[in-house]
Amino acid sequence: MAKSTKKKEPADAADPAATAARAGMAAFSPVAATAWMEIMQEGMRFMNTRLQQDMEVQRAMLACTTPQELMHVQTEFYRKAMSDYTEETQRMMRLMGLAVEATADEAKPKPGRDLDDVPV
């Protein structure tokens, strides 16, 4: 099979709606955009880690020679997965709480008055 000579486009070029949404969010609130990116990065990190662990479990299951070994591998897999998902849910809730705090702090009115709001 011949190699494709087509250049890969950046993800944003392939999805102009995502580019527009990101730009709009950044213009609206840079703090919210930063928090959103941190949440997305954490989600991707977790998904990548879990997929790697899932592949390792599949290899271990294929190597089992008795039903007892298979049951042990499956039991450990489910125990670990439940623990990981519980911890990730807590981590995401913390990140979302911090994002709400940061966004709310940014939205609070500033003390004092601007000189522009005084009628002449």
Side-chain angles (χ1 to χ4, degrees), residues 40-102:
M40 294 302 294
Q41 286 174 342
E42 175 56 27
M44 293 303 293
R45 184 210 56 81
F46 176 73
M47 186 173 66
N48 186 35
T49 301
R50 283 299 318 157
L51 286 173
Q52 291 295 324
Q53 292 173 358
D54 292 353
M55 294 299 291
E56 291 170 13
V57 167
Q58 287 180 8
R59 283 189 210 102
M61 288 171 65
L62 289 170
C64 291
T65 56
T66 66
Q68 291 82 9
E69 284 181 77
L70 180 61
M71 186 67 160
H72 176 73
V73 169
Q74 287 177 328
T75 302
E76 286 303 308
F77 167 74
Y78 287 118
R79 184 195 59 74
K80 177 84 167 88
M82 291 301 292
S83 173
D84 288 351
Y85 278 101
T86 300
E87 289 172 13
E88 183 63 13
T89 300
Q90 293 170 349
R91 194 174 300 119
M92 287 297 241
M93 293 302 290
R94 270 193 307 274
L95 284 174
M96 288 180 194
L98 292 172
V100 168
E101 270 183 41

